[in-house]
Amino acid sequence: MIFLSEAVESQSFLIMIAITAFVSGLLHVVLFPNTVLLGASGIVFMMIVLSSVAGMKDGKIPLTLILVIIVYLGGEILSIGSKDGIAHIAHILGGICGAGFGLVGRRP
């Protein structure tokens, strides 16, 4: 099993965190201008999906990636619009960023 720290260098990881925070923050300001975005849950979702994508071998989709998408991101998509004080859009964008970073940064 490949651990996330083995697959991603520290500098690259910091850049991924900054991009995820910027994208989720920017979209949150555009979509919800009268609310405050607080916390790093979008970055945590990015790490969860990134670690699942890092486990891909020979182009095969791992079961963990399918489960993460169904359980975590599926639940967030269903929760959009609820008035629970949670930035579900940040979680979804974090997951999308994690998947994108994982697919772009895969080593052959």
Side-chain angles (χ1 to χ4, degrees):
M1 175 178 228
I2 297 175
F3 292 101
L4 186 58
S5 61
E6 295 174 2
V8 180
E9 296 176 6
S10 297
Q11 186 177 12
S12 299
F13 197 59
L14 183 60
I15 292 169
M16 290 179 207
I17 291 171
I19 290 171
T20 302
F22 179 75
V23 168
S24 61
L26 184 66
L27 194 64
H28 189 76
V29 167
V30 170
L31 295 177
F32 309 104
N34 296 326
T35 60
V36 177
L37 182 61
L38 178 67
S41 56
I43 294 170
V44 172
F45 269 77
M46 183 263 305
M47 291 181 199
I48 291 169
V49 176
L50 181 61
S51 66
S52 295
V53 173
M56 289 180 70
K57 293 179 182 172
D58 300 328
K60 295 180 182 175
I61 299 173
L63 180 61
T64 56
L65 179 60
I66 295 168
L67 292 175
V68 163
I69 289 173
I70 291 171
V71 174
Y72 288 111
L73 292 180
E76 292 301 319
I77 290 170
L78 293 175
S79 298
I80 290 178
S82 62
K83 304 257 187 227
D84 56 2
I86 298 173
H88 298 285
I89 194 76
H91 298 170
I92 294 167
L93 286 171
I96 291 169
C97 286
F101 294 142
L103 292 174
V104 169
R106 284 189 63 225
R107 296 179 187 153

